[in-house]
């Protein structure tokens, strides 16, 4: 018979077991191909959240971004109010323009550290583009700039 009054440690262990079994709050995530959503910043991308937002209380965000085939960038030049942004290209390619850094074609294996507040714009991407983006914080403001 279970103890009616578990210790704090026992209760925390039980909660962690339940969260891990259901995929909520565990330290390991197993995401399937249906985990991409179209509710991200740009309509020409789909986003697969990797769970860091929940695990870090919003301090860190991470997701896989992939292109929606046949849809291409129409986003204006913009900047983000965040402390940290890092991109790793998994496959495909994208061309970005960064103020003060020029245009760069990113390919599989390319990485980008986007300095806080840097003005940038996506010029184009391949239909098979996939990348990982890590940000601090998870949620941040985006401002359209000239």
């Amino acid at each position: 018979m279970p103890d009616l009054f578990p210790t704090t440690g026992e209760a925390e262990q039980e909660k962690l077991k339940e969260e891990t079994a259901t995929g909520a709050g565990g330290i390991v995530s197993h995401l399937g191909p249906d985990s991409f959503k179209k509710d991200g910043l740009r309509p020409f991308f789909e986003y697969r959240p990797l769970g860091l937002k929940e695990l870090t209380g919003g301090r860190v965000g991470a997701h896989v971004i992939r292109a929606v085939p046949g849809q291409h960038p129409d986003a204006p030049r913009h900047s983000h109010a965040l402390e940290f942004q890092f991109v790793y290209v998994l496959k495909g390619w994208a061309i970005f323009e960064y103020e003060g850094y020029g245009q760069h074609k990113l390919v599989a294996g390319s990485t980008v550290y986007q300095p806080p507040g840097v003005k940038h714009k996506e010029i184009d991407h391949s239909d098979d583009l996939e990348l990982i983006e890590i940000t601090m914080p998870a949620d941040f403001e985006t401002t359209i700039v000239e």
Side-chain angles (χ1 to χ4, degrees):
M1 176 173 206
D3 190 349
L4 294 176
F5 302 101
T7 66
T8 300
E10 291 169 338
E12 288 174 353
Q13 286 294 330
E14 189 59 33
K15 181 180 176 194
L16 182 60
K17 285 181 191 175
E18 289 174 17
E19 289 175 343
T20 302
T22 62
I27 61 170
V28 175
S29 295
H30 300 283
L31 301 171
D34 60 342
S35 61
F36 280 94
K37 308 290 182 222
K38 294 184 180 192
D39 60 356
L41 183 62
R42 305 284 176 224
F44 45 86
F45 287 142
E46 295 177 321
Y47 300 80
R48 175 191 280 175
L50 298 178
L52 286 180
K53 177 180 176 178
E54 294 75 18
L55 291 170
T56 65
R59 291 185 307 276
V60 180
H63 47 257
V64 177
I65 301 172
R66 74 178 178 192
V68 175
Q71 295 187 26
H72 292 278
D74 60 0
R77 192 166 192 205
H78 60 280
S79 67
H80 305 296
L82 41 63
E83 299 168 36
F84 177 82
Q85 185 174 16
F86 182 82
V87 173
Y88 178 82
V89 179
L90 296 167
K91 66 181 182 178
W93 58 266
I95 300 171
F96 279 86
E97 179 269 321
Y98 301 97
E99 183 177 62
Y101 300 93
Q103 280 191 16
H104 294 272
K105 184 173 185 178
L106 312 176
V107 297
S110 296
T111 63
V112 178
Y113 165 70
Q114 282 188 197
V118 69
K119 296 173 184 175
H120 61 284
K121 176 179 175 59
E122 183 188 354
I123 307 300
D124 200 6
H125 64 254
S126 63
D127 279 347
D128 64 342
L129 175 67
E130 276 195 25
L131 55 88
I132 294 176
E133 180 181 61
I134 301 169
T135 64
M136 293 174 63
D139 295 321
F140 51 87
E141 288 188 33
T142 298
T143 304
I144 296 172
V145 295
E146 293 295 320

